Amino acid sequence: QVQFVESGGGLVQPGGSLKLSCAASGFTLHNYAIGWFRQAPGKRREAVSCISESDGRTFYADSVKGRFTISRDNAANTVYLQLNSMKPEDTAIYYCATALLFVGLGCQGKDYWGQGTQVTVSS
């Protein structure tokens, strides 16, 4: 029933850009806050960016502020993450998920998760 499919990952050079997509099926996306999370080998999964379901509130990890931008197209039932000025430390598997967004506090994954897309930043 409920499913997220991430796409857009790949290999890029430092300073390059990618745009990730998270397409939802089986439910209406605009009823949920959505987050992007990432996990690198040997590291804890972290919240990268989240966007609210209604009022446009967003969260960004300190490490990506000014470089990444989250957006949503409810008509297409899709959430995007634009990754600019990429660094090797951005290398990870990126997941989208329904989320709880706490303005000023952070963001955490909720009930539904995609399978992830690999992002690698290397020369």
Side-chain angles (χ1 to χ4, degrees):
Q1 49 169 24
V2 176
Q3 184 176 176
F4 287 121
V5 178
E6 299 97 333
S7 62
L11 174 64
V12 298
Q13 296 180 350
S17 297
L18 285 174
K19 188 172 185 178
L20 307 183
S21 298
C22 174
S25 63
F27 70 105
T28 303
L29 186 62
H30 73 253
N31 291 134
Y32 299 87
I34 304 295
W36 284 97
F37 303 81
R38 68 185 182 187
Q39 187 166 26
K43 296 183 178 180
R44 183 172 296 181
R45 186 177 65 201
E46 64 175 337
V48 178
S49 182
C50 297
I51 186 166
S52 70
E53 68 274 21
S54 59
D55 62 7
R57 293 172 297 153
T58 57
F59 161 84
Y60 293 96
D62 289 342
S63 61
V64 308
K65 286 181 179 177
R67 299 190 299 118
F68 293 4
T69 303
I70 191 169
S71 62
R72 63 193 302 162
D73 182 347
N74 289 333
N77 229 28
T78 302
V79 173
Y80 304 95
L81 185 68
Q82 179 69 47
L83 296 74
N84 296 328
S85 302
M86 299 188 70
K87 304 175 181 179
E89 52 262 44
D90 294 322
T91 297
I93 300 175
Y94 285 69
Y95 303 88
C96 64
T98 53
L100 294 175
L101 174 59
F102 303 95
V103 178
L105 296 176
C107 185
Q108 65 184 79
K110 196 178 177 183
D111 299 323
Y112 302 105
W113 293 77
Q115 295 302 119
T117 185
Q118 177 70 52
V119 171
T120 302
V121 185
S122 176
S123 298

